[in-house]
Amino acid sequence: MSFSRNLLSIFLSSIFVLGALSSVGCSEFLEGTKREAQVIELSDTRFSCLKKMPDALKEFSAGEGKEDDIRTSFNCVSEALVYFQAKTYGSIPNAYTMEEMRLFFGKYFLKENNVTPEFAKELMKMKKALLGGSQNFITKTEITALIDLLAIVRDEAILLSPHIRILLNQALKTEAKWEQIANAISQLRGGLHRLLEKTQFAKSDYSFEDLKIAAMGLSDFIRGNEPVAPYENMGEWMPMVEAIKGVLIGRHAQLVNLYQWKEGLDSFINLYELALKYTYVIRDVNIDNEVDLRQLSQFVSEALALLKDSHQMKVSGRIPLQDVDTLIDVLLPRTPWGIKPESLKKTYRLVLVKILEPMRKGDTRGLLGLEQKHLAAIDREFNIWRMTQSFVDHVVGGEKDHLTQEKLLKSYSQFKIDFVIEKGISRDALERSAMKKSWLDLGNLLRKKPLVNFSAEGLFVVEGAPENWRYSWKSLTKLNFMRALSRLLLIGYGADSNELITLAKMNKVGLIDWYEDFSELGRDLKAFDSRLADPNASLCDVDEALRTYDLRSIKTAERSFMEANFFTFAGNGNDEMDFFETYQFVSILFSAGLKSSSELTKLSMRQSCAIGENDVFGNPYLQESCFKGVLKGNFRNLFANLPNMVKYIEKMTPQQWEEFYSFWRSSSLAAGQEKGHMDHVETSNIRTMVTILHYVESLMMAFDTNNDQQLTPSEVKAAFPRFLPFFKALRPGIWDMVLEESFAHVVFRGTIPEGSSDLGLFKWDLMTGKVPPAQRFELIRLFAKLKDQLGKAPKPSGAQGESQGPLPSNKTDFTCQ
């Protein structure tokens, strides 16, 4: 059952209840004493239309109401009201009780869809809100006012009827367009505003709880004994609507005038518009399409505006955490994501205090809710993304040629950024200042050589000499997304990010902190491995400052930190990740480790490699030999973004492929997965293998100075400085020159030298030219050897911020001597 259909059902209750109310009001014979004998004509010609009211409402709800039918139905009700008012009297002078009308109504006209006493009571509450007076009876004067109001409802219903199929998400022959949704919402908004203005609703004490009960009663009245969309199971969605009301309006909000009622109503209508746009447009949006991306951008802008302009945010300046938590509790069980509410509650709080308000440094004390300053921070980051995308659209949008890095920089220098910011994006002085700093950051990124490139499919590309790379709209759009993610990571977990983000740094503890904060959400989303990175490890192996962290976070972050420092284009092997290392690491992780690995997994499953049992990520284990065959047979298509690697693999003999695959596979082993049990391939193996392949190409491109697709001993030694800190930690007290020779020995021989004799022989072979250039095989082997030494990597020194709270029960217990 669609949430959007039920939400609008509540909106339309104000219209439908009027119809039900008027039907009841005109149909009850009187139990009081008549002033004179009257004959009430109950002929089909005069009152048969009243019997058709439930069917008319069903047709209207299904988007099948015709203008003539709608007009005829409402006119019938109005004429019956006039006749009823003139010819009958109730037990109260000039008035009728609801029970009088309800009994007669059920006796003569509605045999199947009768009005229950409970619904009748709610109708009288609605009558009081709409027309004033008492909720115990309806007067003849109020019936006259009801007739006038019905004329307005009739006209609005006619205008709304062409849009009902879109508004109620009925089955359509074609999907609704963005403009159609906007037109439908505009008509709905105008109609409900007009009803508010013509009734006493804004002056009444009618509550949301009253509306809920009335909507449920109306649902039962229209459905009768048969399910009718969109009214079946409406009760299941009421908690969702109430939770949304708590966020946008407030749990105990008092709307005291027409303006505030319109404002509150607009919040719901705006949310409903977003729900429709998501259902019809955004859910299947393709960010590789310029039109789709602009619509996604507009969708995000409207969502932010919904929160900023909500009644609760305007009145109190915040949306309390309790209201957000309630919405999460109601919403998440209805999604297919598998996220536990507690995981999301923890994560969004950390986002508030670390990314959106980094001055807090993670301190949640005094955090009361989502505040205006948090929305301003989101708005700022979103506008920075929009600014960059405006540049991308301008220089390579449409049918324009792909640009070299030099032409891209020239376009950057000529782009009228001040005009774009001030006229098209933001008029806030402080935000404009932040955006101009970010524009300087973009320039620094575009000048970086090599500048990361992406394929049309969004994959990380390494091909040929970097000076020949071309940048398209799709590749630069992906660059913009990866840049935005890297910014957020460094803002929340880095240092020196107050000025230019390209000057920010993040130490190892900062990355551990990020993994720790997002670990629960990551495991729920099957993005993080739920197992310990080293099941035999102890927290005694880490510094005191890190012992309140989950060992999984420490080990995973250590490995990621090494990868960013050693194997990205910008890696330098020091004790911090700068912006460029972070950006390239994030780019490889998303476009290679997640996207390419997913394609490989799906392809293997289509080739019947699945064994049946699922791994920790919920995907089937794959049979080893079958997977290896699929990988080799489809290598060109799977890794088209790495053309030189493809050429290298295709030239291999079967024996060379077996050796290459053996080291490649060994380097991908997950926690607890022993080398002797490699007959099952799991999701973590595939993600690691795909990522390593991209790291190999990054190393090859970074140090293959003559672009001959191999590394000479001098080129390998040129790569050594970035690995120096790692080897110094493995062999403390050893001269750098000896460590350099040891590194070359690992690359070319595949082992760490045992002593001076090993190094001496190796050095002699280098001097006599007996050491051939390193191929990609040697680099894959290097990964496997470095992975074996990961536990001996340098330990973090010092912590970034203090750990909050006691050691959770899911973390490793330890007793250190």
Side-chain angles (χ1 to χ4, degrees):
M1 182 62 189
S2 167
F3 162 61
S4 59
R5 288 160 63 181
N6 286 282
L7 183 57
L8 185 61
S9 299
I10 295 175
F11 291 159
L12 293 179
S13 292
S14 57
I15 292 178
F16 293 162
V17 168
L18 281 172
L21 177 64
S22 58
S23 299
V24 174
C26 70
S27 306
E28 178 56 42
F29 187 72
L30 312 175
E31 294 181 353
T33 304
K34 303 185 184 71
R35 294 184 181 178
E36 59 184 67
Q38 297 286 337
V39 177
I40 305 298
E41 296 183 21
L42 302 179
S43 65
D44 290 340
T45 57
R46 182 178 294 276
F47 289 110
S48 62
C49 59
L50 299 179
K51 298 180 181 179
K52 299 177 180 178
M53 176 59 73
D55 291 335
L57 291 176
K58 290 178 184 179
E59 291 178 358
F60 182 82
S61 301
E64 298 173 356
K66 304 295 191 295
E67 178 178 347
D68 289 344
D69 295 338
I70 295 171
R71 190 180 301 278
T72 298
S73 296
F74 275 96
N75 289 345
C76 169
V77 171
S78 297
E79 291 171 4
L81 277 171
V82 172
Y83 180 84
F84 179 80
Q85 181 190 45
K87 299 295 184 180
T88 63
Y89 297 93
S91 59
I92 302 174
N94 295 317
Y96 315 97
T97 67
M98 178 53 74
E99 186 62 16
E100 288 173 337
M101 295 186 292
R102 190 189 72 81
L103 292 175
F104 184 80
F105 182 61
K107 179 178 180 180
Y108 288 99
F109 302 113
L110 292 181
K111 303 298 185 182
E112 297 178 359
N113 299 67
N114 201 359
V115 176
T116 65
E118 294 77 16
F119 185 35
K121 181 179 178 181
E122 296 307 318
L123 287 173
M124 288 303 289
K125 287 183 182 179
M126 178 71 77
K127 188 278 302 182
K128 180 181 177 182
L130 294 173
L131 306 174
S134 171
Q135 68 180 46
N136 297 319
F137 55 83
I138 182 171
T139 68
K140 291 196 172 190
T141 300
E142 289 166 357
I143 290 178
T144 300
L146 180 60
I147 294 171
D148 295 337
L149 187 57
L150 278 174
I152 298 175
V153 175
R154 177 199 62 206
D155 295 342
E156 294 300 331
I158 290 171
L159 293 173
L160 194 62
S161 60
H163 306 289
I164 288 297
R165 290 176 67 84
I166 291 175
L167 290 171
L168 290 182
N169 194 18
Q170 304 293 328
L172 299 174
K173 295 180 179 179
T174 59
E175 288 297 314
K177 306 300 182 185
W178 190 276
E179 296 77 12
Q180 291 176 303
I181 297 169
N183 292 337
I185 289 293
S186 176
Q187 186 60 55
L188 177 65
R189 190 191 311 275
L192 293 181
H193 277 201
R194 190 179 178 198
L195 284 175
L196 273 178
E197 293 167 357
K198 296 296 183 180
T199 66
Q200 304 297 311
F201 218 92
K203 300 177 183 178
S204 72
D205 58 357
Y206 198 77
S207 68
F208 182 78
E209 190 66 27
D210 292 329
L211 181 60
K212 282 172 47 182
I213 298 173
M216 291 301 302
L218 176 65
S219 172
D220 294 338
F221 171 70
I222 294 178
R223 286 188 296 114
N225 297 322
E226 298 179 0
V228 178
Y231 301 99
E232 69 270 21
N233 302 322
M234 182 183 288
E236 297 180 8
W237 287 91
M238 280 298 177
M240 172 76 74
V241 178
E242 188 164 15
I244 292 172
K245 178 257 181 186
V247 168
L248 298 179
I249 310 298
R251 281 170 292 141
H252 307 295
Q254 297 294 324
L255 306 181
V256 298
N257 54 46
L258 180 61
Y259 174 79
Q260 289 188 346
W261 270 96
K262 284 186 176 180
E263 186 178 68
L265 180 61
D266 280 342
S267 290
F268 268 94
I269 294 176
N270 291 339
L271 174 63
Y272 185 64
E273 182 176 11
L274 289 174
L276 288 176
K277 288 178 176 177
Y278 174 80
T279 300
Y280 288 122
V281 181
I282 301 300
R283 183 172 55 187
D284 300 319
V285 72
N286 177 12
I287 63 172
D288 292 332
N289 179 281
E290 291 183 57
V291 175
D292 282 6
L293 188 60
R294 280 195 292 271
Q295 289 181 337
L296 177 60
S297 176
Q298 185 176 341
F299 180 84
V300 174
S301 294
E302 292 175 3
L304 286 172
L306 171 67
L307 292 175
K308 288 187 292 186
D309 297 336
S310 66
H311 177 79
Q312 180 155 230
M313 186 64 74
K314 285 184 175 181
V315 171
S316 65
R318 71 173 63 95
I319 297 173
L321 296 177
Q322 180 181 350
D323 294 334
V324 180
D325 289 349
T326 299
L327 181 59
I328 289 173
D329 286 334
V330 175
L331 173 65
L332 280 187
R334 301 179 183 277
T335 69
W337 306 328
I339 301 175
K340 295 190 290 291
E342 291 307 314
S343 300
L344 188 56
K345 290 176 188 178
K346 170 191 173 182
T347 304
Y348 91 77
R349 281 171 166 79
L350 290 168
V351 169
L352 291 181
V353 299
K354 289 192 174 180
I355 296 178
L356 301 182
E357 198 178 353
M359 316 75 122
R360 279 182 171 268
K361 298 187 180 299
D363 186 357
T364 59
R365 291 174 297 180
L367 179 66
L368 301 177
L370 176 65
E371 302 179 18
Q372 290 177 342
K373 60 186 174 183
H374 299 136
L375 292 179
I378 297 173
D379 217 18
R380 181 191 64 235
E381 292 304 310
F382 177 60
N383 283 336
I384 286 173
W385 177 86
R386 288 177 59 209
M387 172 191 69
T388 306
Q389 196 60 40
S390 295
F391 167 70
V392 171
D393 294 343
H394 176 75
V395 297
V396 288
E399 301 298 324
K400 297 177 182 177
D401 294 335
H402 297 181
L403 302 180
T404 62
Q405 188 173 3
E406 287 70 26
K407 289 184 177 179
L408 196 57
L409 284 169
K410 183 178 180 180
S411 297
Y412 170 84
S413 65
Q414 296 173 346
F415 192 67
K416 300 183 184 303
I417 188 60
D418 290 338
F419 177 84
V420 171
I421 292 175
E422 296 178 14
K423 302 298 182 182
I425 297 180
S426 176
R427 296 185 179 181
D428 181 87
L430 294 177
E431 187 176 51
R432 289 204 305 266
S433 176
M435 294 179 70
K436 289 179 180 178
K437 289 179 182 177
S438 179
W439 179 250
L440 296 177
D441 278 324
L442 177 62
N444 291 338
L445 175 60
L446 296 180
R447 293 185 191 94
K448 187 68 176 179
K449 293 191 176 183
L451 174 62
V452 170
N453 200 4
F454 300 91
S455 69
E457 293 74 28
L459 298 177
F460 187 93
V461 172
V462 182
E463 56 178 341
E467 59 266 22
N468 296 325
W469 292 1
R470 297 291 187 273
Y471 297 88
S472 65
W473 181 89
K474 291 182 179 179
S475 63
L476 291 175
T477 295
K478 191 62 174 288
L479 176 151
N480 191 19
F481 279 117
M482 295 300 105
R483 175 178 179 247
L485 291 175
S486 303
R487 272 185 58 87
L488 294 176
L489 179 57
L490 286 173
I491 287 172
Y493 299 89
D496 303 322
S497 59
N498 292 330
E499 295 299 323
L500 298 182
I501 201 69
T502 45
L503 300 179
K505 315 285 185 182
M506 179 169 57
N507 61 31
K508 187 180 294 186
V509 179
L511 191 59
I512 292 172
D513 203 17
W514 178 83
Y515 270 103
E516 175 74 5
D517 289 347
F518 285 82
S519 59
E520 293 181 27
L521 182 63
R523 288 193 285 269
D524 287 351
L525 291 172
K526 309 300 183 183
F528 291 176
D529 199 326
S530 62
R531 298 164 295 189
L532 288 175
D534 183 353
N536 299 315
S538 166
L539 280 175
C540 296
D541 297 333
V542 302
D543 287 353
E544 181 69 31
L546 297 178
R547 286 183 183 159
T548 55
Y549 288 85
D550 192 317
L551 189 57
R552 287 171 292 201
S553 301
I554 297 173
K555 292 299 182 180
T556 304
E558 282 183 342
R559 175 168 178 166
S560 298
F561 194 86
M562 287 177 58
E563 291 173 357
N565 255 295
F566 294 159
F567 306 125
T568 60
F569 297 153
N572 54 24
N574 63 9
D575 59 354
E576 59 190 13
M577 286 173 60
D578 63 20
F579 170 79
F580 300 104
E581 291 170 329
T582 302
Y583 166 74
Q584 292 170 15
F585 172 72
V586 169
S587 298
I588 291 176
L589 181 66
F590 274 87
S591 69
L594 296 181
K595 187 176 179 64
S596 296
S597 62
S598 176
E599 292 300 318
L600 177 53
T601 300
K602 292 176 182 177
L603 183 60
S604 299
M605 292 177 64
R606 288 197 295 268
Q607 296 296 321
S608 302
C609 295
I611 294 176
E613 183 182 355
N614 287 347
D615 62 22
V616 69
F617 291 98
N619 297 321
Y621 285 102
L622 304 176
Q623 204 279 328
E624 169 74 15
S625 60
C626 178
F627 167 78
K628 184 165 62 173
V630 170
L631 178 60
K632 182 66 165 62
N634 296 275
F635 199 92
R636 170 175 287 276
N637 292 330
L638 287 167
F639 301 106
N641 57 310
L642 308 175
N644 291 317
M645 176 64 80
V646 170
K647 293 176 184 177
Y648 177 75
I649 295 296
E650 290 181 341
K651 291 180 181 178
M652 283 182 172
T653 65
Q655 181 179 353
Q656 289 172 331
W657 164 251
E658 290 295 330
E659 292 177 339
F660 182 91
Y661 178 84
S662 176
F663 281 107
W664 187 18
R665 178 80 165 86
S666 176
S667 65
S668 75
L669 291 181
Q673 189 178 11
E674 299 177 4
K675 292 184 179 180
H677 296 81
M678 293 176 59
D679 55 331
H680 290 187
V681 181
E682 55 180 280
T683 303
S684 64
N685 302 144
I686 298 175
R687 290 179 180 177
T688 303
M689 291 177 72
V690 170
T691 302
I692 286 176
L693 208 63
H694 288 73
Y695 286 149
V696 167
E697 288 304 276
S698 297
L699 278 180
M700 181 65 73
M701 194 218 64
F703 296 103
D704 179 19
T705 55
N706 60 2
N707 199 30
D708 66 351
Q709 305 304 311
Q710 55 187 1
L711 299 180
T712 64
S714 61
E715 289 172 333
V716 169
K717 289 186 176 182
F720 174 67
R722 68 166 64 182
F723 294 91
L724 176 60
F726 180 78
F727 276 81
K728 285 179 75 71
L730 290 180
R731 297 292 177 91
I734 304 297
W735 291 347
D736 291 359
M737 180 179 66
V738 176
L739 292 176
E740 182 182 68
E741 298 293 345
S742 299
F743 172 71
H745 191 281
V746 174
V747 174
F748 290 105
R749 293 288 192 258
T751 60
I752 295 177
E754 295 295 332
S756 57
S757 60
D758 278 355
L759 277 181
L761 289 173
F762 176 66
K763 189 172 183 179
W764 173 256
D765 287 344
L766 285 175
M767 293 174 59
T768 57
K770 294 181 180 179
V771 178
Q775 307 293 325
R776 287 167 172 82
F777 168 78
E778 283 75 19
L779 296 184
I780 282 285
R781 187 174 61 188
L782 174 65
F783 274 92
K785 296 302 178 181
L786 291 180
K787 182 178 183 295
D788 290 339
Q789 299 296 325
L790 179 59
K792 301 177 182 180
K795 299 175 183 177
S797 57
Q800 180 174 308
E802 296 294 325
S803 175
Q804 300 294 323
L807 187 69
S809 59
N810 69 326
K811 297 184 180 181
T812 304
D813 295 327
F814 63 90
T815 302
C816 298
Q817 301 296 326

